[in-house]
Amino acid sequence: MTVLAKDGTERPADVPAMPTFSEATRLWAKIGLLSFGGPAGQIALMHKELVEERRWIGEERFLHALNYCMLLPGPEAQQLAVYVGWLLHRTAGGLVAGTLFVLPGALVMLGLSSFYMLYNDAPVIEALFFGIKAAVLAVVVEAVIRIGRRALKNRVMVAIAVAAFLAIYVVKLPFPLIVLAAGLIGWIGSRFAPSLFSGTAHGKGSAAADRSGVVDLMFERGELGHTVPTRWHAARTAAIWLPLWLGPVALIALLAGPASVWTQIGGFFSLMAVVTFGGAYAVLAYVAQAAVTSFGWLAPGEMVDGLGLAETTPGPLILVLQFVGFAAAYRHAGAISPLLAGSLGAALTLWATFVPCFFWIFLGAPYIEQLRQNKALSAALGAITAAVVGVVMNLALWFALHVVFGKVASIGWGVEVPVFSSLDWRAALLSAAAMVAMLKLKVGMLPTLAASALAGLALQAL
């Protein structure tokens, strides 16, 4: 049975009408406000709203879009929102979807960063963050286990993960180099042993519903002409978005000079936007190393605090970079107000982090079918994901050293080991309890963070 739409076209009675731009905007705002729980929770929320309840996009096409976003650097959940928004309402739809996915969390993170810088030395705030740090360690360990289950399917992938861990922890190789090396290994391996280097992107799955959505029917009727790449599509998109992304960064560097904190923020986070394969946890170890050791923007414990703040906000976890940018500018404010400098640093970080996400989608989405069926590219992604496990293991170890122990010692090659006499039994107890809650009892992340913060307050009172 079909019904007649307002534009005169017919559609199945069980498929909703094409959403208006205002309807889509309201939904993207709702998703941005409710997108807690990391990428898994955010993707599940979008699936529920877009596929199950509203039928704006079919299951298979939703998974195809997710496959593409998994191949990109940056937060895949936010990029998936940009992709679906672009399908529905072209570039304007993608801009609105991606912006509203980030904006609520960014505003909350700005407020939390300001509060942290002003009052982090207050006894009550210190006690709350003492508990949050312990829970964050459990969150990172849970991420290692979750990613490892998906990525480490055979001994080759385990070996890549171990090599990546040793490369970043012992040899101190840069994270981008580890990503490139893993991708190259996967690409070469796909030619000689394809069964060992199968991609880890989401597949259709046997449970995928074979139902069409609004977008699918528009494809069938040939109404989505903007999804067909033209001869000059790539050149035109790059000519627009590369200057938009890098122009302000280059202008700031020209005006402020290479030693300025503003130049450092713009350049560093623009680099992060290119190499953040594997999600926020993968890049945090590299960011922490640079922010604490190379630039001196943060103390080791403060990086854990920032991750704790990001875990409690809606939006992508990569918003922790906003905290880093805020702290860097706040502490190098120069002649302007520290809060104003911090806010500008946060804005510059957001620009350098998220503008590239729009660029990747608008540039590559029309070629998604070609990319999705490329076995060598899928193999490279599989190897990168395995390497990400090793990198996140390094992050977990780094957090454990600085949360559970008061002091660490270097034994050469920059390798840090704990000073066992400096063990903080309260932090160890809270971390163990948080791990039991999340890994054994399956308690959610936000309740665990809240309970750990209150427990930290109680323990510090002792």
Side-chain angles (χ1 to χ4, degrees):
M1 179 179 176
T2 61
V3 296
L4 193 65
K6 292 181 180 180
D7 59 2
T9 60
E10 290 186 348
R11 59 177 172 83
D14 63 336
V15 176
M18 169 68 177
T20 65
F21 192 83
S22 59
E23 288 173 338
T25 299
R26 287 193 294 271
L27 178 62
W28 296 123
K30 175 184 177 182
I31 290 174
L33 289 167
L34 299 178
S35 58
F36 293 92
Q42 293 155 3
I43 291 169
L45 174 64
M46 282 191 283
H47 184 274
K48 179 176 179 291
E49 295 286 349
L50 297 168
V51 179
E52 297 177 9
E53 294 190 358
R54 287 170 174 77
R55 301 277 307 278
W56 287 1
I57 184 171
E59 174 87 15
E60 183 178 334
R61 195 172 297 279
F62 180 88
L63 292 176
H64 289 175
L66 181 57
N67 282 340
Y68 173 60
C69 294
M70 288 289 293
L71 296 173
L72 300 173
E76 63 267 26
Q78 190 252 0
Q79 290 166 341
L80 181 60
V82 176
Y83 191 98
V84 178
W86 170 79
L87 282 176
L88 288 169
H89 296 107
R90 298 176 177 264
T91 301
L95 288 171
V96 168
T99 301
L100 291 179
F101 191 90
V102 172
L103 186 59
L107 292 175
V108 173
M109 195 66 181
L110 178 62
L112 291 175
S113 299
S114 302
F115 183 82
Y116 179 88
M117 288 298 163
L118 290 172
Y119 304 110
N120 70 320
D121 56 350
V124 173
I125 303 302
E126 285 185 347
L128 289 173
F129 275 101
F130 175 78
I132 289 175
K133 288 177 185 178
V136 166
L137 177 57
V139 170
V140 177
V141 170
E142 193 265 344
V144 173
I145 296 172
R146 186 181 66 247
I147 300 172
R149 285 173 178 169
R150 187 182 76 219
L152 307 184
K153 300 296 186 182
N154 53 58
R155 292 181 179 179
V156 172
M157 293 302 171
V158 172
I160 291 175
V162 173
F165 171 79
L166 295 175
I168 197 167
Y169 181 65
V170 178
V171 187
K172 306 298 182 185
L173 287 182
F175 175 68
L177 184 59
I178 295 173
V179 168
L180 291 174
L184 183 61
I185 290 171
W187 182 77
I188 295 174
S190 68
R191 296 173 175 262
F192 298 98
S195 61
L196 297 177
F197 290 88
S198 58
T200 59
H202 301 265
K204 296 179 183 180
S206 58
D210 189 22
R211 297 195 304 168
S212 296
V214 173
V215 169
D216 304 88
L217 294 178
M218 293 175 70
F219 265 104
E220 293 177 6
R221 296 194 298 262
E223 297 174 357
L224 296 179
H226 64 286
T227 64
V228 180
T230 62
R231 177 183 297 181
W232 299 105
H233 168 77
R236 184 174 63 251
T237 304
I240 294 172
W241 282 93
L242 285 178
L244 188 64
W245 164 23
L246 297 174
V249 176
L251 181 61
I252 288 172
L254 184 64
L255 295 176
S260 167
V261 68
W262 308 103
T263 302
Q264 294 174 346
I265 290 172
F268 178 69
F269 290 114
S270 292
L271 173 63
M272 289 299 94
V274 178
V275 301
T276 49
F277 296 94
Y281 288 116
V283 75
L284 278 180
Y286 184 67
V287 172
Q289 181 185 20
V292 174
T293 305
S294 301
F295 295 113
W297 294 337
L298 300 174
E302 290 179 331
M303 190 67 198
V304 189
D305 292 343
L307 182 58
L309 293 178
E311 294 280 13
T312 62
T313 64
L317 183 60
I318 204 73
L319 284 174
V320 65
L321 302 186
Q322 179 187 352
F323 170 81
V324 177
F326 184 98
Y330 182 93
R331 288 168 172 163
H332 299 82
I336 64 176
S337 162
L339 280 179
L340 176 59
S343 300
L344 294 175
L348 178 57
T349 303
L350 289 172
W351 184 269
T353 300
F354 289 104
V355 170
C357 295
F358 294 99
F359 172 52
W360 307 137
I361 296 298
F362 295 148
L363 175 67
Y367 307 106
I368 179 174
E369 290 301 322
Q370 298 175 39
L371 287 173
R372 183 174 61 85
Q373 297 174 2
N374 189 310
K375 294 181 180 179
L377 196 58
S378 296
L381 176 65
I384 289 172
T385 307
V388 162
V389 177
V391 173
V392 180
M393 285 172 58
N394 172 70
L395 176 67
L397 178 60
W398 189 87
F399 276 178
L401 288 175
H402 292 94
V403 170
V404 180
F405 298 92
K407 297 179 180 179
V408 295
S410 177
I411 59 173
W413 288 68
V415 176
E416 294 180 335
V417 295
V419 177
F420 289 98
S421 61
S422 68
L423 173 70
D424 188 333
W425 67 267
R426 298 167 302 172
L429 177 64
L430 280 178
S431 295
M435 288 183 194
V436 170
M438 294 190 66
L439 302 178
K440 186 69 175 177
L441 304 178
K442 307 301 180 184
V443 178
M445 180 184 63
L446 289 178
T448 302
L449 286 169
S452 295
L454 293 177
L457 192 62
L459 285 174
Q460 290 285 62
L462 295 176

